[in-house]
Amino acid sequence: MAVELNHTIVAAHDKMASARFLADLLGLEVAPEYGPFLPVQMPNGVTLDYMDTAESISPRHYAFLVSEDDFDAIFARIREAGLTYWADPHHHHPGEINHNDDGRGAYFDDPNGHNLEILTRPYGSGED
């Protein structure tokens, strides 16, 4: 049997706003609520299940591998929304994108402080 990631739970202070934030930026849909979860399904079948919490949220990192065309569309939505973005996960290079592995990448935060990333090439797939 092949092992595949099926879903992960994403803590949020407002699961609807957080799920909608991600879905709108990535050009995806928010699925109907399932129990306490509000799912956003990726095209590869992995689901991010947003769940409300009143507790403090430890930010997590979520990276999305996208095509060059999708990067252009998503990055345009990031800029149109006036979001701060960075070329690196430590937020040392604001207003820049990276060109790691002969691709492009950018980092931005969601409303809960989760560090989101879009990239066009998997790490280690290029020459640099």
Side-chain angles (χ1 to χ4, degrees):
M1 173 179 141
V3 177
E4 297 179 357
L5 179 63
N6 177 264
H7 68 277
T8 192
I9 297 170
V10 181
H13 291 301
D14 180 339
K15 67 183 176 185
M16 177 56 82
S18 298
R20 174 70 41 222
F21 173 86
L22 180 69
D24 287 349
L25 286 177
L26 297 183
L28 302 172
E29 298 293 324
V30 176
E33 200 164 7
Y34 183 77
F37 307 111
L38 195 59
V40 176
Q41 186 166 12
M42 302 296 118
N44 65 347
V46 174
T47 303
L48 299 183
D49 293 335
Y50 283 84
M51 185 174 91
D52 282 331
T53 183
E55 297 177 18
S56 176
I57 295 175
S58 292
R60 302 289 183 232
H61 175 70
Y62 300 95
F64 304 96
L65 183 63
V66 300
S67 70
E68 290 287 342
D69 289 341
D70 286 336
F71 184 95
D72 290 337
I74 295 165
F75 190 62
R77 289 191 285 269
I78 289 168
R79 294 183 71 194
E80 287 169 11
L83 297 175
T84 302
Y85 59 91
W86 299 266
D88 64 300
H90 303 292
H91 300 170
H92 293 153
H93 301 281
E96 299 178 29
I97 66 170
N98 68 58
H99 296 279
N100 298 341
D101 293 299
D102 301 320
R104 294 183 291 164
Y107 296 80
F108 56 99
D109 290 342
D110 88 339
N112 302 287
H114 295 300
N115 191 9
L116 308 181
E117 176 185 9
I118 54 172
L119 67 159
T120 61
R121 296 284 304 263
Y123 290 124
S125 66
E127 294 188 25
D128 55 3

